[in-house]
Amino acid sequence: MKQRKGSLFVVSAPSGAGKTTLCWKLCDSLAGIKHSISYTTRSPRHGEINGVHYTFVDEDEFRSMITEGEFVEWAEVHGNFYGTSKKRIEDMTNEGCDVILDIDVHGARQIKEHSPDSVLIFVLPPSMEALKERLAGRKTDSEDVIKTRLRNAIGEIGEYKNYDYVIVNDSLDTALKELSSIVIAERVRISKMERDWIKENFLII
Ligand code: ADP
Ligand code: 5GP
């Protein structure tokens, strides 16, 4: 029997705050946590690999997955559809693996409703100026796309109150330590332990 079931960690942020960087660094540096690979109708960016960063599908396929009830949450973000596969995250948590979901504020709300013991983390940039610089510096989006993302940032940041933690991603090392600490603390929470594991191993003589 496993000591505990895996937990869900939801990370949201305005585009460019650095959440993708943080989530991947966390999975590289901490054992027992995996990134959830979302489905999206967005086109792949340079360097993005299908099945690694996202599963890229067309709108018809995405809509039929909605109809089939395959998503635990989905949303339209900056003009594209994004969704989290129910089966993918259940398979990981049932194996005792924690899962980190890099999803938008609407998706985060849906996950909290579906799994109230999920942990919601909001990532802020150090300033709006830094956000602009990071979006431009990433060199993956056109000026129009950057403008849309900056316009949407204010609405997204207003959602911070619905989260359990806020991390300001100024120094990447500090932000990563803070994110790791949240995950590690959650792993030893009594409510996340399998009570039967303690009973069978320690309380039955
Ligand atoms: P998001 O997933 O939130 O849209 P990214 O992870 O793609 O953001 O990061 C946006 C850009 O900012 C990338 O070029 C990334 O390398 C850079 N970046 C991330 N964190 C930091 C940081 N702490 N300091 C400076 N640049 C950062
Ligand atoms: P990007 O296009 O920059 O990769 O992501 C744009 C936004 O979509 C980000 O806020 C990201 O967190 C969000 N996103 C990525 N995958 C999902 C998902 O499966 N569901 C939801 N709701 N949002 C997602």
Side-chain angles (χ1 to χ4, degrees):
M1 181 184 291
K2 297 209 167 47
Q3 290 178 19
R4 59 179 196 89
K5 213 178 149 197
S7 300
L8 296 182
F9 295 89
V10 176
V11 179
S12 306
S15 187
K19 68 185 171 314
T20 309
T21 308
L22 273 170
C23 290
W24 283 104
K25 279 193 177 287
L26 178 80
C27 295
D28 285 347
S29 58
L30 190 68
I33 185 157
K34 285 188 190 153
H35 200 277
S36 157
I37 300 163
S38 298
Y39 286 81
T40 185
T41 59
R42 162 165 86 57
S43 309
R45 292 183 184 132
H46 182 71
E48 281 184 332
I49 302 164
N50 191 28
V52 174
H53 299 96
Y54 281 104
T55 300
F56 297 97
V57 292
D58 62 26
E59 205 172 311
D60 284 350
E61 195 174 340
F62 196 95
R63 287 193 187 281
S64 90
M65 290 179 77
I66 296 175
T67 311
E68 296 298 317
E70 289 187 38
F71 293 125
V72 63
E73 67 73 33
W74 68 271
E76 188 177 350
V77 194
H78 313 310
N80 297 297
F81 290 102
Y82 296 83
T84 304
S85 155
K86 202 181 285 175
K87 183 174 184 314
R88 282 184 180 173
I89 61 170
E90 278 174 4
D91 285 351
M92 290 190 273
T93 53
N94 287 339
E95 279 175 14
C97 186
D98 291 323
V99 181
I100 193 149
L101 294 94
D102 166 348
I103 63 176
D104 89 310
V105 293
H106 304 287
R109 254 177 215 259
Q110 296 173 56
I111 293 286
K112 196 69 175 180
E113 275 163 27
H114 180 265
S115 309
D117 62 352
S118 55
V119 180
L120 268 52
I121 303 154
F122 200 85
V123 176
L124 280 175
S127 65
M128 275 308 221
E129 264 320 298
L131 188 69
K132 275 185 210 163
E133 280 166 20
R134 285 182 192 176
L135 273 174
R138 192 165 67 182
K139 294 193 167 67
T140 51
D141 303 299
S142 66
E143 252 178 56
D144 275 356
V145 168
I146 292 179
K147 271 190 195 144
T148 308
R149 288 178 179 233
L150 283 172
R151 242 194 336 267
N152 293 342
I154 298 168
E156 289 165 339
I157 294 172
E159 294 287 315
Y160 80 95
K161 299 181 270 335
N162 302 324
Y163 285 69
D164 300 303
Y165 296 94
V166 172
I167 294 176
V168 179
N169 179 22
D170 190 353
S171 148
L172 190 57
D173 281 353
T174 305
L176 183 60
K177 267 189 209 136
E178 289 171 354
L179 183 58
S180 306
S181 306
I182 294 167
V183 173
I184 292 166
E186 194 63 22
R187 286 179 175 174
V188 289
R189 207 184 262 285
I190 290 198
S191 59
K192 296 285 170 78
M193 295 296 294
E194 288 287 358
R195 304 276 168 126
D196 286 346
W197 176 81
I198 299 184
K199 204 164 139 192
E200 279 176 24
N201 284 280
F202 304 104
L203 304 179
I204 299 170
I205 303 160

